[in-house]
Amino acid sequence: MTVTPDYTEKIPNNVDLREDRRLQRALESWQPNFLTWWESMGPTLPTRDVYLRTAINVGREGWAHFAHVPMRDYRWGIFLAERDPGRIVGFGEHQGEPAWQQVPGEYRADLRRLIVIQGDTEPASVEQQRNLGATAPSLYDLRNLFQVNVEEGRHLWAMVYLLHAYFGREGREEAEELLHRNSGSVDSPRILGAFNEETPDWLSFYMFTYFTDRDGKYQLGTLKESAFDPLSRTCEFMLKEEAHHMMVGTTGVDRIVERTAQLMVQNDTDDVTGLGAIGLPVLQRYLNFHYSVSLDLFGGETSTNVANYYTAGLKGRWMEGRRRDDHKLADDGMLVDALVDGEIGQTQVASLTGLNTDLRREYIADCQSGVNRWNKILESAGLPQRLALPHIAFNRKVGAFAGIEATPAGELISAADWQQRNGEWLPTDVDKTYVRSLMQPVHERGKIAAWIAPPRNGINGQPFDYDYVHLA
Ligand SMILES: [Fe+2]
Ligand SMILES: [Fe+2]
């Protein structure tokens, strides 16, 4: 089942593209549009080359190749995890049947929609991050930004491959649209709210890769369970790359907390603003923002669409294989968050309709692990302050709590109180201006900005002071 990719091809792949001339031609005609998009919407900082990981295969013996690559020579490939010929559907009404190698007619529209929604997020984040190179705190961080960006570009390729290969003319039209919508555009914005927010500074970038990329991890995890095998295999491989994006976010925030804590202790002060670092209250407000907009990405607490996707086998649960139930859920119930008589509470629903809540809970538990990590850094520094995830009802625009206002502690407050007090909890203009004032580029080998600690490890065994990027 292994197809050896030919990396000298225009589109490196392990899907035997050469054998399917029609598909190859379709993708080759999409490619120039992608490259134009990358030129106009991708990273703005000119470089000679960047030390990048490139996916070249999917095997266990190593799937990536590290080298200094001029951006114009970078190749976005199409890679699906190896096919398991015996794979069966793990849940829903088709449980136990062989996984589908083609799209069943009755699920065509739904599967296409799921792929488009996932595909839309990938280029969006590249657009959101395009100006960050100019203010990178180190060459190591700059390299990671490029790495995340090229891989999001490849994830777009992954979804476009599925659209072209399995969804005919409508798929090709959707693939075009993925390049026409743009993050933050008034006329044709990206589909999901968080992907239209700005990522104007590196604190936002780390928070985004921690909280918003992590939403991606959970969405991919549910699509990896799909009965539609090419989608499953595509997402399985994307998850491998996502792990690095999570690492960038987790350790990025680690390093800011570490630096802030260090300066607080050294100077015996809570206010590190004058010392060129980011204070804990500002970090907490950025965290509150990125976490709450990412919670919205999971949709309403209940959804009959998602129930239908599950029953049909299109989209499973996180770690479906490890769940100890019948994987059909037809008779089960669960509690979901809700407004009950105007108060924040919970209500009983059918488990099938509560699947968004199930996924959001998995995500929240995962987010908490990062907060615990950051609090350990504060604790080891001997500081009493702690960071926290805000309440699930805080700053929500989607779902049961969209119509109310709540504090990070979960107290209901009036709209007027919210107007008056939200600056205590969300980044203020003063915060943003201050954070932006710290964003001075450090593009010198082995050096790092004053507001962040250097990483413990470099990339691929290289030291921190490696020449990760050669600027133009
Ligand atoms: Fe991605
Ligand atoms: Fe990502």
Side-chain angles (χ1 to χ4, degrees):
M1 278 300 148
T2 312
V3 181
T4 311
D6 180 354
Y7 202 67
T8 60
E9 279 179 288
K10 255 190 188 172
I11 306 170
N13 68 89
N14 70 345
V15 294
D16 241 344
L17 203 51
R18 217 190 304 219
E19 299 302 305
D20 187 341
R21 297 307 302 229
R22 252 168 65 100
L23 176 60
Q24 188 178 11
R25 270 200 302 274
L27 284 166
E28 282 181 1
S29 74
W30 185 80
Q31 189 177 36
N33 298 339
F34 169 81
L35 292 173
T36 305
W37 167 81
W38 179 266
E39 278 298 310
S40 60
M41 299 305 289
T44 53
L45 185 75
T47 54
R48 197 144 50 83
D49 59 39
V50 184
Y51 186 67
L52 289 173
R53 168 175 88 175
T54 305
I56 49 165
N57 210 337
V58 296
R60 230 165 260 126
E61 318 75 55
W63 55 276
H65 174 70
F66 284 85
H68 282 96
V69 188
M71 288 310 295
R72 65 175 175 280
D73 293 343
Y74 192 84
R75 289 284 177 280
W76 287 270
I78 297 167
F79 297 101
L80 277 62
E82 278 179 43
R83 185 173 158 196
D84 166 7
R87 181 168 177 253
I88 54 166
V89 181
F91 61 95
E93 65 189 9
H94 299 290
Q95 189 180 11
E97 296 172 19
W100 316 327
Q101 299 309 322
Q102 290 298 329
V103 180
E106 68 264 45
Y107 302 138
R108 206 175 163 81
D110 283 342
L111 273 171
R112 193 179 68 220
R113 184 72 189 150
L114 287 171
I115 291 167
V116 165
I117 290 174
Q118 181 59 42
D120 193 69
T121 66
E122 312 290 354
S125 58
V126 176
E127 293 163 357
Q128 288 168 293
Q129 295 160 13
R130 67 185 307 243
N131 293 314
L132 289 175
T135 57
S138 74
L139 290 184
Y140 162 89
D141 291 281
L142 181 57
R143 177 263 166 215
N144 286 346
L145 171 71
F146 277 99
Q147 186 69 59
V148 169
N149 285 174
V150 292
E151 285 173 351
E152 301 306 4
R154 206 199 65 74
H155 295 173
L156 171 61
W157 269 96
M159 293 297 123
V160 164
Y161 161 73
L162 292 174
L163 289 170
H164 275 200
Y166 296 96
F167 295 89
R169 190 168 57 82
E170 287 145 326
R172 289 194 294 277
E173 285 168 5
E174 293 283 14
E176 286 300 316
E177 285 306 303
L178 287 171
L179 295 175
H180 289 152
R181 282 186 295 272
N182 287 147
S183 178
S185 156
V186 180
D187 301 324
S188 58
R190 291 296 175 184
I191 297 170
L192 300 169
F195 292 90
N196 287 303
E197 299 287 349
E198 288 179 49
T199 312
D201 58 67
W202 282 76
L203 174 56
S204 300
F205 174 64
Y206 299 127
M207 290 289 179
F208 182 95
T209 42
Y210 188 83
F211 289 108
T212 307
D213 261 328
R214 190 170 307 272
D215 155 72
K217 168 182 158 183
Y218 280 82
Q219 303 300 340
L220 292 174
T222 64
L223 296 174
K224 182 179 83 107
E225 304 293 341
S226 182
F228 178 41
D229 203 42
L231 175 60
S232 164
R233 291 164 54 208
T234 297
C235 291
E236 186 179 335
F237 186 65
M238 288 163 75
L239 277 165
K240 264 193 185 178
E241 290 167 318
E242 272 317 317
H244 174 70
H245 309 181
M246 305 289 103
M247 188 284 285
V248 168
T250 309
T251 58
V253 181
D254 279 0
R255 292 159 52 209
I256 298 179
V257 173
E258 187 184 330
R259 179 63 179 150
T260 298
Q262 190 183 38
L263 288 170
M264 285 169 73
V265 171
Q266 269 171 20
N267 296 278
D268 193 19
T269 178
D270 292 351
D271 185 8
V272 293
T273 308
L275 303 166
I278 302 172
L280 295 178
V282 177
L283 277 177
Q284 179 67 60
R285 285 193 284 272
Y286 271 72
L287 184 162
N288 289 347
F289 173 75
H290 286 274
Y291 174 68
S292 56
V293 300
S294 301
L295 287 181
D296 279 345
L297 292 170
F298 293 84
E301 283 68 19
T302 58
S303 163
T304 44
N305 275 343
V306 174
N308 294 337
Y309 294 160
Y310 184 83
T311 301
L314 311 186
K315 187 177 169 183
R317 285 172 295 175
W318 179 252
M319 297 285 169
E320 184 68 46
R322 292 203 200 154
R323 307 281 187 130
R324 290 170 187 279
D325 51 36
D326 69 355
H327 304 277
K328 293 190 191 309
L329 312 178
D331 308 316
D332 303 352
M334 68 181 287
L335 287 170
V336 300
D337 301 298
L339 272 188
V340 183
D341 302 326
E343 296 291 322
I344 294 170
Q346 294 201 318
T347 189
Q348 177 84 13
V349 301
S351 292
L352 275 175
T353 59
L355 286 173
N356 280 347
T357 297
D358 179 79
L359 190 62
R360 184 161 29 226
R361 282 182 188 153
E362 296 287 338
Y363 167 81
I364 290 171
D366 195 1
C367 289
Q368 184 61 48
S369 69
V371 174
N372 296 347
R373 223 182 126 102
W374 304 327
N375 284 337
K376 278 212 188 81
I377 297 173
L378 294 171
E379 196 186 331
S380 339
L383 293 168
Q385 290 90 340
R386 297 291 179 264
L387 296 166
L389 294 178
H391 191 273
I392 194 164
F394 172 78
N395 192 38
R396 296 294 304 281
K397 304 282 183 279
V398 172
F401 305 125
I404 56 123
E405 303 298 351
T407 67
E411 290 163 70
L412 267 180
I413 55 170
S414 68
D417 279 351
W418 172 263
Q419 274 312 325
Q420 210 165 55
R421 297 185 60 192
N422 72 65
E424 295 172 36
W425 310 311
L426 290 171
T428 61
D429 288 341
V430 173
D431 293 341
K432 292 180 197 170
T433 307
Y434 175 67
V435 170
R436 272 177 233 190
S437 77
L438 299 180
M439 300 295 129
Q440 303 299 328
V442 179
H443 288 163
E444 214 180 318
R445 196 170 159 174
K447 295 277 166 60
I448 184 121
W451 52 270
I452 187 167
R456 298 216 185 284
N457 303 300
I459 294 298
N460 193 35
Q462 306 292 358
F464 168 66
D465 65 0
Y466 187 63
D467 55 341
Y468 288 109
V469 183
H470 296 118
L471 295 174

